Amino acid sequence: MTATEERPAVRPQQRRRVTSLEVLCVVLVLALLLQNQLVDALDIPALRTGATVFVAVCVQAMPFLVLGTLISGAIAAFLPAEVLRRALPQRTVLAVPVAGLAGVALPGCECASVPVARRLMQQGVAPSVALAFLLAAPAVNPVVLVATAVAFPGKPEMVLARFAGSMLTAVVTGWLWSRFGKASWIASRALQRLPAGGSSRWAVFAETARHDLVEAGGFLVIGGITAAALNVLVPSTLLESLSGQWVLGIVVMALLAVVLAICSEADAFVAASLSALPLLPRLVFLVVGPAVDVKLIALQVGTFGKAFALRFAPLVFTVAVVSGTVAGLVLLGGTS
């Protein structure tokens, strides 16, 4: 090698990061290997009850969660956002409910609906229309409605009330944003066209489904643990006392939906496990959760900017609580 020849650059070795999925697999393997010792050490009635509730919630919800993430990945990879844009009416007042109804045919989780809404805005769709789709898609799609029917067997009115409350939330919020919202509230970066990626459609499908499953699965575990803790730590008499104070019950369950941030494909099983509460507060929980929660607020801050999220989140929360309450009073037989 001559002095004029350049030596090939030596890349520093990158240290491989351990992901949360690998940690979860290790924990599950250890739990299987040490199950006898764990059973002996944790043979406490309250823990047994909590573990039963946790497993029941996760096992019931997981098939719907997997199905939802597969559909979400297929939409991201094979269904361009231009299809929805071309099908929308020109007038915003009509386009908002049409975008809400499109959520029935284009299911996805809350996390997936945020980038889809941004993509629609980038392609010229009015923000109010894109936001109506953002709210409707994770709440009124067939996967969520079937999961609700399974979680509440023999109560078809609960499915209808959830659909009505969520659709009303999406449409009313879209109309209010079209009337009072300002373009300056949305970060300019959210409206800039993004360069097309070079990945194949199947690679996009696999990556989107994997990402949604890992993210949503983590929130499902948190929700299952919380549901188990509520069943064990909170006296049933306390939850039953809310049946006579339905206003307080609605407020508590609405705030709980924001804090828990459970995926819409799994939240029905968590709500069903809180059997001491009447149906109306649990319905509000199901309407508020897919519309606004802590993870959605964080995603919206990162996607649309802080100015947007500070105005959009309180608006959606208020509309969702009112819409869920109205739907429950009409379709669930009063405050039952």
Side-chain angles (χ1 to χ4, degrees):
M1 179 180 293
T2 63
T4 58
E5 292 180 347
E6 296 182 356
R7 294 181 179 273
V10 179
R11 295 182 179 179
Q13 294 184 351
Q14 294 183 352
R15 188 176 182 181
R16 188 176 181 277
R17 295 179 60 186
V18 178
T19 65
S20 58
L21 183 61
E22 293 169 334
V23 173
L24 176 61
C25 292
V26 171
V27 172
L28 291 177
V29 171
L30 290 177
L32 289 174
L33 295 176
L34 303 175
Q35 57 180 328
N36 293 331
Q37 292 85 343
L38 291 174
V39 169
D40 295 336
L42 303 177
D43 189 15
I44 303 173
L47 287 177
R48 289 201 303 268
T49 302
T52 301
V53 174
F54 171 75
V55 172
V57 170
C58 292
V59 169
Q60 283 183 307
M62 188 56 68
F64 297 98
L65 189 62
V66 173
L67 178 59
T69 55
L70 291 177
I71 294 175
S72 175
I75 291 172
F78 304 110
L79 185 61
E82 298 92 355
V83 175
L84 179 60
R85 179 177 60 85
R86 294 170 183 171
L88 292 172
Q90 295 296 322
R91 297 182 59 187
T92 302
V93 68
L94 298 178
V96 166
V98 170
L101 289 173
V104 178
L106 301 176
C109 71
E110 301 94 312
C111 301
S113 64
V114 174
V116 171
R118 179 180 62 179
R119 197 175 309 122
L120 292 172
M121 294 182 191
Q122 291 170 343
Q123 295 176 350
V125 175
S128 58
V129 179
L131 294 175
F133 177 81
L134 181 150
L135 295 174
V140 301
N141 67 72
V143 176
V144 170
L145 296 180
V146 171
T148 305
V150 173
F152 292 89
K155 296 185 182 296
E157 66 276 10
M158 193 68 174
V159 180
L160 181 59
R162 178 172 193 177
F163 176 87
S166 297
M167 184 63 68
L168 188 62
T169 299
V171 173
V172 171
T173 301
W175 282 338
L176 289 175
W177 194 267
S178 67
R179 177 65 178 84
F180 301 105
K182 297 181 180 180
S184 60
W185 294 344
I186 302 177
S188 59
R189 67 178 183 275
L191 304 179
Q192 295 174 351
R193 291 185 176 273
L194 300 178
S199 302
S200 67
R201 292 185 176 184
W202 285 108
V204 173
F205 166 76
E207 178 59 25
T208 302
R210 184 201 65 80
H211 176 270
D212 288 352
L213 181 60
V214 172
E215 292 293 327
F219 289 112
L220 170 60
V221 171
I222 294 174
I225 293 174
T226 305
L230 288 174
N231 277 272
V232 172
L233 300 178
V234 179
S236 59
T237 54
L238 181 60
L239 292 178
E240 291 171 357
S241 66
L242 295 178
S243 61
Q245 304 179 23
W246 61 275
V247 175
L248 179 59
I250 288 172
V251 173
V252 170
M253 291 302 291
L255 294 175
L256 197 62
V258 175
V259 174
L260 291 185
I262 305 172
C263 180
S264 60
E265 290 136 4
D267 58 0
F269 299 98
V270 176
S273 69
L274 303 176
S275 56
L277 287 172
L279 288 179
L280 182 55
R282 288 188 281 173
L283 172 64
V284 173
F285 175 86
L286 297 178
V287 172
V288 172
V292 56
D293 58 38
V294 289
K295 76 173 185 300
L296 274 176
I297 295 173
L299 285 171
Q300 290 164 6
V301 169
T303 303
F304 301 113
K306 185 177 180 180
F308 169 86
L310 288 177
R311 293 167 174 83
F312 187 68
L315 171 65
V316 174
F317 180 81
T318 303
V319 174
V321 171
V322 174
S323 299
T325 302
V326 171
L329 291 174
V330 174
L331 298 173
L332 297 181
T335 59
S336 62

